[in-house]
Amino acid sequence: MDVSIAISPSEGKARSMPDDLLPAAPSPGPPPRETGVAQVMTSTSVGKHPGEFLATGLPILQVALNTERMTANLDPLLRPLGGSGSRPTVAYAKLLAYKQGNRGTIRYEVHGVAGPGTVVLGKLYPQVAQALRVEHVLRVLWGEVFAGSGGLGTPRPLGCVRDLSMLVYVPVEGTPLDEVLPGDGGTEAVELTAAWLRTLHRARLPLDRRLQVGTELVNVEAWAALVGQAYPDEAARAAGLSADLHASASRSRFRTDTPIHKDFHYKHVLVDRGLRVIDFDEVRLGDPLYDVAHFCAHLRLLACRTTGDPAGFADLERAFLRAYGTDPSLRDERFSWFAAYTCLKIAKQLCTVRGVRPRPDGEERRRQVRLMLDQGLAYRAGLPEPSGGRWP
């Protein structure tokens, strides 16, 4: 039998894949949208949609969506969940989300373990070391930091499938925070969110990565350039915000000794008889105000989207800051720096159709980019002043 070569994301090594496992050649046409691709990447249909399969850039899905092969791969990881003594079996698999050629998250329906309709998730990484690192972080958070924390928590890690560079875990259930905030329970939800974040920041985690401000300054410059390319009329403001962040960074006393989430926003917070947080790929040691400011800047994005006014959730932002332990009336220069930085990051994500969903287009995207730059420039008032005087 002829074989084709597939690249394993686990260790970057080429390995054989029989041609009868590969989908047929794709039909010509425009590239499919990301959401449409994920919908048809299942254990029962992956071979029927070659164009969508290739669009993922993840050839390993041929294995990861194969129920028979994943039953064997997941067996040692699922046994701790208990059950009737029968062998755990993967009944169905579906791709939930992916980043082209980089990562993907798969939902597995499993039979033969405790509870009917048990679901576990598998997250594919480019390198096995990344999967192992996040597993280690989750084991400490789930098993130690948030154990017995009264309804605050994280997903439960089950282990890694090293050959696939896949982290396997029990997902948490709940309503995304952005759907809770407009209702009567909004204030309680942001107070729980602050309690979760405060617990993380007080933890002692043996982390091997640390926030590098120099790297973030390179990112800031690149983000401003991308905004300017997408919207030339905003190029000067984006470049000015980038320059301000560069000029003030050396005078800001950033911390690098605290565990931070580094992607803390409302879509990563789930509320259901307590509160859980997901997605720990970026966890490292850094400045706790990074997470606080990152959350508040995204709260302003959400207010912009739901009320039309970035200040529409100002009361919730103040409640979050008070519950965390930060005086909302004070302008901490580190908070202001990270908030302005995050606003520029969000503007870049809008321009490149990334970031938190929904992802707008047309005039609505332009409006949100403009408003996030407005917010970033407003935060500039809290930055350390340049050596020559006040900001222009």
Side-chain angles (χ1 to χ4, degrees), residues 52-112:
E52 286 79 0
F53 172 80
L54 292 177
T56 67
L58 297 170
I60 202 65
L61 288 176
Q62 281 297 119
V63 175
L65 292 174
N66 183 301
T67 56
E68 182 177 349
R69 297 180 70 171
M70 290 311 298
T71 291
N73 284 327
L74 297 181
D75 179 73
L77 305 183
L78 296 175
R79 289 191 181 276
L81 296 180
S84 60
S86 60
R87 183 189 183 198
T89 302
V90 175
Y92 184 71
K94 184 183 189 306
L95 180 66
L96 296 180
Y98 72 97
K99 184 176 182 181
Q100 187 179 47
N102 187 280
R103 300 181 188 186
T105 301
I106 300 166
R107 181 181 189 271
Y108 295 104
E109 295 181 11
V110 182
H111 295 169

Side-chain angles (χ1 to χ4, degrees), residues 171-349:
V172 293
E173 298 181 352
T175 304
L177 182 62
D178 58 305
E179 297 178 23
V180 176
L181 293 181
D184 294 337
T187 299
E188 181 182 1
V190 294
E191 289 173 347
L192 281 174
T193 302
W196 189 98
L197 189 61
R198 193 171 59 247
T199 301
L200 172 68
H201 290 166
R202 291 175 176 175
R204 298 177 62 86
L205 291 179
L207 299 173
D208 60 347
R209 298 169 69 184
R210 196 177 296 270
L211 181 70
Q212 301 292 334
V213 175
T215 301
E216 302 307 328
L217 289 174
V218 172
N219 290 337
V220 161
E221 190 171 355
W223 297 342
L226 285 168
V227 172
Q229 289 173 4
Y231 298 108
D233 55 334
E234 298 290 357
R237 294 208 304 156
L241 182 53
S242 171
D244 295 344
L245 290 168
H246 274 262
S248 58
S250 61
R251 292 185 295 280
S252 298
R253 299 179 179 180
F254 299 120
R255 291 173 53 184
T256 58
D257 59 352
T258 301
I260 64 172
H261 185 281
K262 204 177 179 284
D263 198 17
F264 195 68
H265 58 70
Y266 53 82
K267 282 295 188 185
H268 286 158
V269 179
L270 300 175
V271 182
D272 181 20
R273 297 189 302 276
L275 184 139
R276 277 84 180 171
V277 173
I278 61 174
D279 200 335
F280 295 90
D281 294 352
E282 297 299 324
V283 167
R284 67 196 63 200
L285 294 174
D287 194 312
L289 290 184
Y290 184 112
D291 284 339
V292 176
H294 195 273
F295 181 82
C296 289
H298 278 84
L299 201 58
R300 296 193 179 191
L301 171 67
L302 179 63
C304 167
R305 290 177 169 180
T306 57
T307 73
D309 179 4
F313 289 149
D315 289 344
L316 292 175
E317 183 176 333
R318 285 191 288 268
F320 169 78
L321 291 171
R322 282 194 296 266
Y324 178 80
T326 299
D327 187 340
S329 66
L330 298 179
R331 281 186 175 270
D332 184 283
E333 64 183 33
R334 289 154 47 225
F335 175 89
S336 297
W337 197 96
F338 288 122
Y341 156 100
T342 305
C343 289
L344 183 54
K345 171 186 172 181
I346 293 171
K348 181 273 301 185
Q349 289 176 326

Side-chain angles (χ1 to χ4, degrees), residues 105-157:
T105 301
I106 300 166
R107 181 181 189 271
Y108 295 104
E109 295 181 11
V110 182
H111 295 169
V113 296
T118 298
V119 170
V120 300
L121 299 185
K123 187 165 186 178
L124 298 165
Y125 290 85
Q127 301 292 333
V128 67
Q130 294 168 282
L132 292 170
R133 179 181 182 276
V134 179
E135 179 198 3
H136 171 70
V137 169
L138 271 179
R139 287 199 182 280
V140 177
L141 291 177
W142 184 83
E144 299 177 22
V145 175
F146 288 98
S149 61
L152 305 178
T154 69
R156 175 185 175 181

